[in-house]
Every structure is written in structure tokens, then in C-alpha cells.
Amino acid sequence: MRIGVVGATGAVGREMIEELAESSLTSDVKVELFASPRSEGETIAYRGETLKVNAYSLEKVKGCDYILMSAGGTFSKAHSPAISSQDSVVIDNSSAFRMDPKIPLIIPEVNGDVLQGFTQGIIANPNCSTIQMLVAINPLKLKFGLKMIVVATYQSVSGSGQKGIKELSDQLQDYLKFEKPNHVLYPQPIASNVLSAIGPFEDGQNCEEELKMVNETHKILGLPGLPVLATSARVPVFACHSEAINVQLGREADLEEVKQAFKQAPGLIYNETTSQSELPSPFHCTGKKEVFVARLRTLFGEPRSEWFQFWNVADNLKKGAATNAVQILEHLLKNKSS
Ligand SMILES: NC(=O)c1ccc[n+]([C@@H]2O[C@H](COP(=O)([O-])OP(=O)(O)OC[C@H]3O[C@@H](n4cnc5c(N)ncnc54)[C@H](OP(=O)(O)O)[C@@H]3O)[C@@H](O)[C@H]2O)c1
């Protein structure tokens, strides 16, 4: 079997290579790396080997059984259909095909069953902030039903790829030298700042990231009319997105019932701590594959309520991107062998 990683030198691509190395793939599976001509000849370690990065071409990826695509939306739109018509399954990290009704949009723990019988074409990986929100909310939806989601995100700069990481690093250096920070990527400096919108305003009111959370949630949960009120903010953190989530369930529940739903949920670590030094944070969760939930509360401390509040943290490059993509691949391989 041949697996190609396109965008192998990017923030997500590098994590995908690490995830593949840690996955259940057997040693006879050949992993091949592709990026732009700028990176041709660069090397990246994989399971003790040194793999060379190739400049992408359709001809070079021909014969790959699976392509993990992570080279941006414009690139994916232009190339993924042709790659998949060469009989490769493309697992795409960009937003290019997420809302296409013919393309599955998958979080394996939530709607992996949609992939039953899937053998050819493109599969979309959802937006990072949607993935971590739905890993936590889906178990509540299954047990109690769901009437509304109100969410505010605190998103790290690695969500913008290598350019975001560089922008914050450079601006922190500027601050240390008492110089005015130079900003290239974001509309304001990100160091020592919080940006209250991510991406352009698309409907005159909501920004691109907020609409992704709304639309992708509707598609993945199969609840097209669900009210999802999202506010997306960029914060000066290198890795991990945090989210303050409020949900209105389909019925009243008590704290214990909701805790149990979290404790039994796949891919989620529920943390009951009241110690502030142990609360999940980007500091604790960077590099981890799971979604971390804490600070569960009922409405005004009432014993039973339809409304619950909690805090949610996940590494956007791991479960928000690379881990989820490789889990989709493993899900397909498991379906194939069963
Ligand atoms: N960062 C996140 O948290 C996150 C989460 C979910 C989804 N995503 C999505 O994943 C995708 C990649 O994001 P990223 O954060 O990894 O971006 P990134 O760090 O900017 O990396 C982009 C990658 O694409 C490659 N590339 C660019 N133009 C190319 C071309 N013409 N031909 C071949 N390769 C090309 C780059 O290669 P060179 O190094 O050679 O330029 C690099 O490997 C985006 O669609 C993004 O929206 C990102």
C-alpha cells in the first residue's frame, strides 16, 4: 500500500507524518511526502527512516491508495478531484469540499458510520474548532437530545499554519526589544492582543470561522435547523484551541448524568478537578490526541437543568487536523478488512 502526504512540510502535514508513524500501519506500507517545489529535497524523519520531500505532481502521486491532503483550499480544489479520479482516496484537511453534499465530512467518533461502503473519492476533515466541539457535544446529543449551542472559541495561531506561528514569534521578539510589532498575516498584531473575528465577515455579520462551525455542525450532526451561536477569537497562544461551550439539551438532566455521558465518550477526557493548576489548558494539552473537557456546570447551580456550561481544549494540529485525518484512514482500513 502507498500513502501520500501532500503538504508534508506544513504545520498539519508534519503532524500527519507523526500520526502515521504512531498508527497501526504495518511496516510494508510505503509513505511518500509531497509539497511545493520550494521544499523539494527536504527530509523528514518517519519511523527511524529519512524520507525525502518531492515536489507535487499528479503523475508522482499516481498509484497512491490514500492521499492525506493538507496544502490549503485553493490547491485542494484544483487537484483533489483529479487525484481521486486516479483511484486514490483523498482525505482533505481544507474547507474546499466540506459543505459539498456528496462529500462525507467525518469525525470518526461522531459519524464514522457514514463511511460504511466508501471506497473511492474525497473525504473532508472538518474545521479544527468544529471537531473538538462535536467530540464533546455528540455524546450529549445521543443521550439527551440537543436544542441549542452557544460557543466562544479562543483559537491558537497554529490554526493559521506555519505563517501564524511565525507571526506570533516575530511579534513577541519585537515586544521584548520594545519595538512596535509588525503585522503581516492578521489585521492587528496578535502578540498581547485578542482578535474577535477569524477570517472575513461572510454574511455581513458573522466571520468565516463562525459560519464554518455553524454549517459543519449542521451537516455532521444531521441537524440542519439547530441554532448554533458561535463567536471565534484568535488569541496569542501557539497551539491548542479552547472553547467555552453552553448547550441546551433536549431534556432536563442533572450534573451526574452529563458527567457520565462525558466519561463514556470516545476520544474525550473528562477532568473533574477543582484545582486551578490542573485545569486543562493549552499548556497541558499541546501534543495530545484527545479532547479535554472540564468546568462542567448547570444553569445557576440548579440541581436539574436543560442548560449546561463547560470548557473544552484540544490541540488543533492533532485532533483538530492530523489525528482526525489519520483516524479516518484507519477507519477506512478497518472497514476494508472487515
Ligand atoms: N493549522 C490547523 O490547525 C489546521 C486545522 C485544520 C485544517 N487545516 C487546514 O489544513 C491545510 C494546511 O494547513 P497548515 O496549517 O498545515 O498550512 P501551512 O503550515 O501553511 O502548510 C501548507 C503546506 O502546503 C504546501 N503547499 C503549498 N502550496 C503548494 C503547492 N503549490 N504544491 C504542493 N504543496 C503546496 C506547503 O509546502 P511548502 O512548505 O513547500 O510551501 C506546506 O507543506 C489548510 O487547508 C488548513 O486550512 C489546518
Short mmCIF file of all heavy atoms in Angstrom, two decimals, residues 98-99 104-114 124-127 130-131 134-135 138 141 212-224 324:
data_model
loop_
_atom_site.label_atom_id
_atom_site.label_comp_id
_atom_site.label_asym_id
_atom_site.label_seq_id
_atom_site.Cartn_x
_atom_site.Cartn_y
_atom_site.Cartn_z
N ARG A 98 -15.93 20.64 2.20
CA ARG A 98 -16.66 20.25 3.42
C ARG A 98 -18.17 20.36 3.29
O ARG A 98 -18.91 19.53 3.82
CB ARG A 98 -16.21 21.12 4.60
CG ARG A 98 -14.83 20.77 5.10
CD ARG A 98 -14.45 21.67 6.27
NE ARG A 98 -13.05 21.52 6.60
CZ ARG A 98 -12.32 22.48 7.16
NH1 ARG A 98 -12.85 23.66 7.43
NH2 ARG A 98 -11.05 22.25 7.44
N MET A 99 -18.64 21.38 2.59
CA MET A 99 -20.10 21.58 2.53
C MET A 99 -20.71 21.01 1.25
O MET A 99 -21.89 21.18 1.00
CB MET A 99 -20.45 23.07 2.69
CG MET A 99 -20.11 23.63 4.07
SD MET A 99 -20.57 22.54 5.45
CE MET A 99 -22.34 22.45 5.23
N PRO A 104 -18.44 13.16 2.16
CA PRO A 104 -18.59 12.93 3.60
C PRO A 104 -17.68 13.86 4.42
O PRO A 104 -16.52 14.08 4.04
CB PRO A 104 -18.19 11.47 3.79
CG PRO A 104 -17.88 10.91 2.45
CD PRO A 104 -17.85 12.01 1.45
N LEU A 105 -18.23 14.38 5.52
CA LEU A 105 -17.48 15.27 6.42
C LEU A 105 -17.43 14.52 7.76
O LEU A 105 -18.46 14.36 8.42
CB LEU A 105 -18.26 16.59 6.55
CG LEU A 105 -17.67 17.68 7.44
CD1 LEU A 105 -16.33 18.17 6.90
CD2 LEU A 105 -18.64 18.86 7.56
N ILE A 106 -16.23 14.07 8.14
CA ILE A 106 -16.18 12.97 9.12
C ILE A 106 -15.36 13.27 10.37
O ILE A 106 -14.21 13.72 10.31
CB ILE A 106 -15.59 11.70 8.45
CG1 ILE A 106 -16.45 11.27 7.24
CG2 ILE A 106 -15.43 10.56 9.45
CD1 ILE A 106 -17.84 10.78 7.56
N ILE A 107 -15.99 12.99 11.52
CA ILE A 107 -15.25 12.83 12.79
C ILE A 107 -15.53 11.39 13.18
O ILE A 107 -16.68 11.05 13.50
CB ILE A 107 -15.79 13.79 13.88
CG1 ILE A 107 -15.82 15.24 13.40
CG2 ILE A 107 -14.96 13.66 15.16
CD1 ILE A 107 -16.57 16.19 14.32
N PRO A 108 -14.52 10.50 13.13
CA PRO A 108 -14.83 9.07 13.29
C PRO A 108 -15.67 8.73 14.52
O PRO A 108 -16.58 7.91 14.43
CB PRO A 108 -13.45 8.42 13.34
CG PRO A 108 -12.61 9.32 12.51
CD PRO A 108 -13.10 10.71 12.80
N GLU A 109 -15.40 9.36 15.68
CA GLU A 109 -16.19 9.05 16.89
C GLU A 109 -17.64 9.48 16.76
O GLU A 109 -18.50 9.04 17.51
CB GLU A 109 -15.65 9.81 18.12
CG GLU A 109 -14.26 9.54 18.53
CD GLU A 109 -13.27 10.50 17.88
OE1 GLU A 109 -13.50 10.93 16.72
OE2 GLU A 109 -12.27 10.81 18.54
N VAL A 110 -17.90 10.44 15.86
CA VAL A 110 -19.24 11.05 15.80
C VAL A 110 -20.07 10.44 14.67
O VAL A 110 -21.20 9.99 14.88
CB VAL A 110 -19.13 12.59 15.64
CG1 VAL A 110 -20.50 13.23 15.48
CG2 VAL A 110 -18.39 13.19 16.83
N ASN A 111 -19.52 10.43 13.47
CA ASN A 111 -20.30 9.95 12.31
C ASN A 111 -19.47 9.05 11.38
O ASN A 111 -19.69 9.05 10.16
CB ASN A 111 -20.90 11.14 11.53
CG ASN A 111 -19.83 12.02 10.90
OD1 ASN A 111 -18.67 11.98 11.30
ND2 ASN A 111 -20.21 12.81 9.92
N GLY A 112 -18.55 8.29 11.97
CA GLY A 112 -17.72 7.37 11.18
C GLY A 112 -18.56 6.36 10.40
O GLY A 112 -18.14 5.86 9.36
N ASP A 113 -19.78 6.08 10.88
CA ASP A 113 -20.65 5.10 10.22
C ASP A 113 -21.00 5.53 8.78
O ASP A 113 -21.29 4.69 7.93
CB ASP A 113 -21.95 4.89 11.03
CG ASP A 113 -22.66 6.20 11.30
OD1 ASP A 113 -21.97 7.19 11.60
OD2 ASP A 113 -23.90 6.25 11.17
N VAL A 114 -20.92 6.84 8.51
CA VAL A 114 -21.20 7.35 7.16
C VAL A 114 -20.25 6.73 6.13
O VAL A 114 -20.57 6.64 4.95
CB VAL A 114 -21.09 8.91 7.17
CG1 VAL A 114 -21.13 9.50 5.78
CG2 VAL A 114 -22.17 9.52 8.04
N ALA A 124 -13.83 14.78 3.55
CA ALA A 124 -13.38 16.04 4.13
C ALA A 124 -13.19 15.90 5.64
O ALA A 124 -14.00 15.27 6.32
CB ALA A 124 -14.38 17.15 3.83
N ASN A 125 -12.10 16.50 6.11
CA ASN A 125 -11.81 16.60 7.55
C ASN A 125 -12.44 17.92 8.01
O ASN A 125 -12.18 18.96 7.39
CB ASN A 125 -10.29 16.67 7.70
CG ASN A 125 -9.77 16.05 8.96
OD1 ASN A 125 -10.37 15.14 9.51
ND2 ASN A 125 -8.64 16.55 9.42
N PRO A 126 -13.24 17.94 9.07
CA PRO A 126 -13.87 19.20 9.45
C PRO A 126 -12.87 20.23 9.99
O PRO A 126 -11.71 19.93 10.24
CB PRO A 126 -14.85 18.78 10.56
CG PRO A 126 -15.01 17.30 10.41
CD PRO A 126 -13.70 16.80 9.86
N ASN A 127 -13.40 21.44 10.19
CA ASN A 127 -12.64 22.53 10.78
C ASN A 127 -12.22 22.14 12.21
O ASN A 127 -12.98 21.49 12.93
CB ASN A 127 -13.57 23.75 10.78
CG ASN A 127 -12.94 24.96 11.38
OD1 ASN A 127 -11.76 25.22 11.17
ND2 ASN A 127 -13.71 25.70 12.15
N THR A 130 -14.64 22.93 15.06
CA THR A 130 -15.86 22.11 14.97
C THR A 130 -15.58 20.72 15.53
O THR A 130 -16.39 20.16 16.27
CB THR A 130 -16.33 21.97 13.50
OG1 THR A 130 -16.38 23.26 12.91
CG2 THR A 130 -17.69 21.30 13.42
N ILE A 131 -14.42 20.15 15.16
CA ILE A 131 -14.12 18.77 15.60
C ILE A 131 -14.15 18.69 17.12
O ILE A 131 -14.85 17.86 17.70
CB ILE A 131 -12.73 18.32 15.08
CG1 ILE A 131 -12.74 18.17 13.55
CG2 ILE A 131 -12.33 16.99 15.73
CD1 ILE A 131 -11.41 17.75 12.94
N LEU A 134 -17.65 19.04 18.65
CA LEU A 134 -18.61 17.95 18.44
C LEU A 134 -18.19 16.64 19.11
O LEU A 134 -19.07 15.83 19.46
CB LEU A 134 -18.88 17.75 16.94
CG LEU A 134 -19.57 18.95 16.28
CD1 LEU A 134 -20.01 18.59 14.87
CD2 LEU A 134 -20.77 19.46 17.08
N VAL A 135 -16.89 16.43 19.32
CA VAL A 135 -16.48 15.25 20.10
C VAL A 135 -17.11 15.36 21.50
O VAL A 135 -17.53 14.36 22.08
CB VAL A 135 -14.94 15.14 20.18
CG1 VAL A 135 -14.51 14.13 21.24
CG2 VAL A 135 -14.38 14.74 18.83
N ASN A 138 -21.53 15.57 20.87
CA ASN A 138 -22.27 14.42 20.32
C ASN A 138 -22.76 13.44 21.39
O ASN A 138 -23.91 12.99 21.34
CB ASN A 138 -21.44 13.70 19.25
CG ASN A 138 -22.26 12.67 18.53
OD1 ASN A 138 -23.32 12.97 17.98
ND2 ASN A 138 -21.82 11.43 18.56
N LYS A 141 -25.82 14.89 22.77
CA LYS A 141 -26.93 14.80 21.79
C LYS A 141 -27.52 13.39 21.80
O LYS A 141 -28.75 13.22 21.81
CB LYS A 141 -26.38 15.13 20.40
CG LYS A 141 -27.41 14.98 19.30
CD LYS A 141 -26.76 14.61 17.97
CE LYS A 141 -27.78 14.14 16.97
NZ LYS A 141 -27.27 13.23 15.97
N LYS A 212 -18.29 28.45 9.56
CA LYS A 212 -17.83 27.05 9.40
C LYS A 212 -18.37 26.22 10.56
O LYS A 212 -18.86 25.11 10.37
CB LYS A 212 -16.30 26.98 9.44
CG LYS A 212 -15.62 27.39 8.15
CD LYS A 212 -14.11 27.25 8.32
CE LYS A 212 -13.36 27.83 7.14
NZ LYS A 212 -11.91 27.89 7.35
N MET A 213 -18.29 26.76 11.77
CA MET A 213 -18.76 26.00 12.94
C MET A 213 -20.26 25.72 12.85
O MET A 213 -20.73 24.64 13.20
CB MET A 213 -18.44 26.75 14.24
CG MET A 213 -16.96 26.80 14.53
SD MET A 213 -16.58 27.51 16.14
CE MET A 213 -16.87 26.11 17.21
N VAL A 214 -21.01 26.70 12.38
CA VAL A 214 -22.47 26.53 12.27
C VAL A 214 -22.80 25.49 11.19
O VAL A 214 -23.48 24.49 11.44
CB VAL A 214 -23.14 27.89 11.90
CG1 VAL A 214 -24.64 27.70 11.65
CG2 VAL A 214 -22.88 28.93 12.97
N ASN A 215 -22.27 25.72 9.99
CA ASN A 215 -22.66 24.86 8.85
C ASN A 215 -22.14 23.43 8.99
O ASN A 215 -22.85 22.47 8.67
CB ASN A 215 -22.15 25.47 7.54
CG ASN A 215 -22.79 26.83 7.27
OD1 ASN A 215 -23.93 27.07 7.69
ND2 ASN A 215 -22.08 27.73 6.62
N GLU A 216 -20.90 23.29 9.45
CA GLU A 216 -20.33 21.94 9.59
C GLU A 216 -21.06 21.17 10.69
O GLU A 216 -21.28 19.96 10.57
CB GLU A 216 -18.83 22.02 9.87
CG GLU A 216 -18.05 22.58 8.68
CD GLU A 216 -16.55 22.69 8.94
OE1 GLU A 216 -16.03 21.99 9.83
OE2 GLU A 216 -15.89 23.48 8.24
N THR A 217 -21.44 21.86 11.76
CA THR A 217 -22.20 21.20 12.84
C THR A 217 -23.52 20.67 12.29
O THR A 217 -23.92 19.53 12.58
CB THR A 217 -22.45 22.18 14.00
OG1 THR A 217 -21.18 22.52 14.55
CG2 THR A 217 -23.33 21.59 15.09
N HIS A 218 -24.22 21.48 11.51
CA HIS A 218 -25.49 21.04 10.92
C HIS A 218 -25.29 19.76 10.11
O HIS A 218 -26.06 18.81 10.22
CB HIS A 218 -26.06 22.13 10.02
CG HIS A 218 -26.56 23.32 10.77
ND1 HIS A 218 -26.83 24.54 10.19
CD2 HIS A 218 -26.85 23.49 12.09
CE1 HIS A 218 -27.25 25.39 11.10
NE2 HIS A 218 -27.28 24.79 12.25
N LYS A 219 -24.23 19.75 9.29
CA LYS A 219 -24.01 18.60 8.40
C LYS A 219 -23.60 17.35 9.20
O LYS A 219 -24.14 16.26 8.97
CB LYS A 219 -22.94 18.96 7.36
CG LYS A 219 -22.60 17.81 6.41
CD LYS A 219 -21.77 18.26 5.22
CE LYS A 219 -21.32 17.08 4.37
NZ LYS A 219 -20.57 17.47 3.17
N ILE A 220 -22.66 17.50 10.12
CA ILE A 220 -22.13 16.31 10.82
C ILE A 220 -23.18 15.70 11.75
O ILE A 220 -23.34 14.49 11.81
CB ILE A 220 -20.85 16.69 11.61
CG1 ILE A 220 -19.75 17.08 10.63
CG2 ILE A 220 -20.39 15.53 12.50
CD1 ILE A 220 -18.58 17.81 11.26
N LEU A 221 -23.90 16.56 12.47
CA LEU A 221 -24.91 16.03 13.41
C LEU A 221 -26.22 15.68 12.71
O LEU A 221 -27.11 15.07 13.32
CB LEU A 221 -25.19 17.04 14.53
CG LEU A 221 -24.04 17.34 15.49
CD1 LEU A 221 -24.52 18.26 16.61
CD2 LEU A 221 -23.44 16.07 16.08
N GLY A 222 -26.35 16.07 11.44
CA GLY A 222 -27.61 15.82 10.73
C GLY A 222 -28.76 16.62 11.33
O GLY A 222 -29.91 16.17 11.35
N LEU A 223 -28.45 17.83 11.85
CA LEU A 223 -29.48 18.69 12.45
C LEU A 223 -29.44 20.06 11.75
O LEU A 223 -28.89 21.02 12.31
CB LEU A 223 -29.21 18.86 13.95
CG LEU A 223 -29.30 17.63 14.84
CD1 LEU A 223 -28.85 17.95 16.27
CD2 LEU A 223 -30.73 17.08 14.85
N PRO A 224 -29.99 20.16 10.53
CA PRO A 224 -29.82 21.40 9.76
C PRO A 224 -30.44 22.64 10.40
O PRO A 224 -30.01 23.75 10.11
CB PRO A 224 -30.49 21.07 8.42
CG PRO A 224 -31.29 19.84 8.63
CD PRO A 224 -30.71 19.12 9.80
N ASN A 324 -7.33 13.44 13.48
CA ASN A 324 -8.63 13.10 12.90
C ASN A 324 -8.47 12.51 11.49
O ASN A 324 -9.11 11.53 11.13
CB ASN A 324 -9.54 14.34 12.86
CG ASN A 324 -11.00 13.96 12.71
OD1 ASN A 324 -11.60 13.36 13.60
ND2 ASN A 324 -11.58 14.27 11.56
#
